[in-house]
Amino acid sequence: MRAIQFVRYGPPDVMHVADVQAPHAGRGEIRIAGRASGVSPGEIRVRSGEMRDVVPVTFPFRTGFDAAGVVDEVGDGVTGVDIGDEVFGMTTSAARGANADFAVLAAWAPKPASWSWEEAGGAAGAVETATRVLDRLAVGAGYTVLVQGAAGGVGTVAVQLAVARGATVIGTASEHNHDFLRSLGAEPTTYGAGLPERVRALAPSGVDAVFDCAGGALPDLIAIAGDPARVVTIADVTAAAHGVHMSHGAPADDTAAVVGAAADPLAVHGLAIAVTLAGEGRLRVPVAAAFPLSDVVAAHELGESRHARGKIVLVN
């Protein structure tokens, strides 16, 4: 089968399609014939070598955490899903390999009828990550939460999930994305110098929690929250130096886990919540662009630009 991998650090053109042996579903797993899969911002940073000191890598490195497709193999002990079902879900962080013709999923849910394959292919990782961080921050009704980097793949989902919990959401993005953020239910503002003052004007009573999807602004985000314990980042590897929690969902013994970050329990319950919200028309997965597997280099180039609005996906 075809699968995306890289064998050395470098620019996007180190990514390539390889011919590899197809995986099979183990106990508690399913295999899908993939229709679409997500391009992970974290893996873009790993591929570039930016994360080499904090994320151990063994080459060849196969990419992809989330995918959607049709079930074609059901492992022992699995109930409630049959061959031919349409699902979306995620691999283990150790196995990865979702950017491929076939992917083994460790967590999944039925594909919402309202979602395209592209939306479903990029959904699970963003949903799990956003749910995990919002749970850690205890975001609920009456909260005011700032989402830094709100127009990206995780940020767009985090905004909608926080709104669904009854929170007031402020989201940072480039000005041309402000109307888009309003359509998701957030009050937009620009990032960069002067952010604490802009947020204070929008939330005079203060901000209860900050979800950092972008990195690079922790001192300002701590000032906005008033306490580093009320800030969680998924993007800033300097978090520990600021007393901020950096969240990842890898098992504690996963050698691909981020060194110095604490593994939080995977929020796979978020997948079922996403299905419900999608059915109610309250959750969509904005897709910035969809590329065929053979155009993975172009997909990584777009991701590296950091100007993608929503999720970048690969289609089979």
Side-chain angles (χ1 to χ4, degrees):
M1 71 165 192
R2 298 175 303 162
I4 302 301
Q5 65 182 35
F6 60 96
V7 297
R8 62 180 177 85
Y9 295 123
D13 64 10
V14 302
M15 303 297 297
H16 65 277
V17 179
D19 186 14
V20 303
Q21 188 173 359
H24 293 284
R27 183 170 183 81
E29 299 174 329
I30 63 171
R31 188 178 78 170
I32 61 170
R35 298 293 183 86
S37 59
V39 174
S40 163
E43 288 182 332
I44 289 172
R45 298 173 70 194
V46 170
R47 182 266 304 152
S48 72
E50 177 185 348
M51 303 282 283
R52 71 177 70 199
D53 292 333
V54 291
V55 179
V57 165
T58 300
F59 297 121
F61 188 90
R62 287 183 51 195
T63 61
F65 286 116
D66 46 10
V70 178
V71 179
D72 81 332
E73 197 173 273
V74 177
D76 291 343
V78 173
T79 60
V81 65
D82 296 308
I83 290 174
D85 287 353
E86 297 181 349
V87 301
F88 75 105
M90 55 195 297
T91 70
T92 66
S93 57
R96 307 177 189 256
N99 299 145
D101 287 324
F102 295 91
V104 171
L105 303 183
W108 61 88
K111 173 186 168 294
S114 61
W115 285 357
S116 67
W117 281 116
E118 290 82 0
E119 290 173 293
V127 166
E128 187 280 322
T129 301
T131 303
R132 174 176 13 107
V133 174
L134 294 175
D135 283 354
R136 183 178 180 89
L137 289 167
V139 172
Y143 265 56
T144 297
V145 57
L146 171 67
V147 178
Q148 171 82 338
V154 174
T156 54
V157 171
V159 166
Q160 295 172 86
L161 293 182
V163 169
R165 293 179 179 215
T168 297
V169 181
I170 299 169
T172 68
S174 299
E175 197 164 341
H176 70 273
N177 283 323
H178 284 191
D179 285 343
F180 169 66
L181 289 188
R182 291 187 183 97
S183 76
L184 300 180
E187 180 64 37
T189 189
T190 53
Y191 47 78
L195 180 62
E197 292 74 23
R198 291 191 297 278
V199 171
R200 194 174 302 117
L202 293 172
S205 298
V207 167
D208 300 293
V210 175
F211 184 170
D212 175 31
C213 302
L218 287 181
D220 277 351
L221 301 183
I222 294 167
I224 289 166
D227 184 343
R230 290 158 59 186
V231 180
V232 173
T233 183
I234 60 170
D236 199 319
V237 295
T238 70
H242 297 277
V244 168
H245 179 75
M246 184 178 185
S247 181
H248 71 82
D253 60 352
D254 183 354
T255 58
V258 178
V259 175
D264 294 324
L266 285 173
V268 295
H269 60 280
L271 302 185
I273 294 170
V275 172
T276 299
L277 292 174
E280 297 170 351
R282 301 170 66 196
L283 179 65
R284 53 193 171 110
V285 183
V287 175
F291 299 86
L293 279 179
S294 58
D295 282 350
V296 63
V297 172
H300 269 241
E301 286 173 344
L302 177 59
E304 204 165 65
S305 76
R306 304 192 68 167
H307 293 306
R309 187 169 81 180
K311 190 77 176 187
I312 301 168
V313 298
L314 298 172
V315 295
N316 299 66

